[in-house]
Amino acid sequence: MDLKELICPRMILCNVDARDSQDALRQLAGHLEKEGYVEEGYLDMLLERELKFPTGLCTKPFAVALPHTEPDHVIKPCIAVAKLRKPVEFHEMVNDQSTVPVRFIFNLVLQKTEQQLELLQKIISIFSDKEAMEKLEKEEKPEKIAEILEHTGTSGSC
């Protein structure tokens, strides 16, 4: 599946004011449910998976999280993005004893588990684009964030 099919401005939340990682995921999952992308129960699965398999990544200039879970409660696939007002601590993917101060969350909402690895690799490739990362950090409008992602080859219409 192509990232261009999965990212759209209405699934990009900016200035999310979250107390912690669980609160950030609650807000993102609530938006997904309200918009008809997931069913009730998605949040519980997402939180459970994040506890078992943390998704925080120490990228530059800011850390990100890539939460995802089984497709059981997914209605429509997408990549939901949350830009946090202030970073919140997520346990690190490579060392779950450490935490990283996450600024952006890229939630993979997929209907097929076998798509996760390929999409994770594509999204992670964005993080090596220093210019794109700096633009993402400064931008506050969902439409502009989608344009930045499109410019780096990861967005399109929905």
Side-chain angles (χ1 to χ4, degrees), residues 104-126:
F104 265 84
I105 301 169
F106 293 84
N107 182 194
L108 304 183
V109 181
L110 303 173
Q111 291 175 311
K112 297 179 182 174
T113 307
E114 60 271 12
Q115 296 171 332
Q116 287 179 353
L117 183 59
E118 179 186 352
L119 286 172
L120 280 170
Q121 291 169 337
K122 288 179 181 181
I123 291 172
I124 288 171
S125 72
I126 297 167

Side-chain angles (χ1 to χ4, degrees), residues 89-104:
E89 297 295 319
F90 271 75
H91 285 273
E92 196 172 12
M93 187 183 293
V94 295
N95 176 6
D96 64 5
Q97 301 304 307
S98 296
T99 61
V100 292
V102 166
R103 181 86 162 98
F104 265 84

Side-chain angles (χ1 to χ4, degrees), residues 38-106:
V38 299
E39 299 171 335
E40 187 177 338
Y42 178 79
L43 172 62
D44 292 337
M45 289 181 65
L46 188 65
L47 291 173
E48 183 179 324
R49 190 187 187 290
E50 188 67 26
L51 282 173
K52 290 180 184 174
F53 305 103
T55 62
L57 283 176
C58 186
T59 54
K60 300 292 179 196
F62 52 84
V64 300
L66 298 165
H68 51 283
T69 191
E70 299 301 316
D72 299 1
H73 298 286
V74 175
I75 298 168
K76 293 190 290 189
C78 72
I79 297 175
V81 180
K83 181 177 182 182
L84 305 175
R85 183 171 297 173
K86 290 181 270 183
V88 297
E89 297 295 319
F90 271 75
H91 285 273
E92 196 172 12
M93 187 183 293
V94 295
N95 176 6
D96 64 5
Q97 301 304 307
S98 296
T99 61
V100 292
V102 166
R103 181 86 162 98
F104 265 84
I105 301 169
F106 293 84

Side-chain angles (χ1 to χ4, degrees), residues 9 12-15 83 138-148:
I12 299 173
L13 304 178
C14 292
N15 294 313
K83 181 177 182 182
K138 293 176 185 171
E139 191 51 63
E140 298 298 328
K141 295 180 182 165
E143 296 80 10
K144 295 291 184 183
I145 289 173
E147 285 177 23
I148 294 165

Side-chain angles (χ1 to χ4, degrees), residues 16-36:
V16 174
D17 192 13
R19 294 181 307 279
D20 55 30
S21 61
Q22 288 191 352
D23 185 37
L25 293 177
R26 275 188 198 94
Q27 291 184 52
L28 197 52
H31 184 71
L32 285 163
E33 191 173 335
K34 184 180 107 187
E35 292 292 323

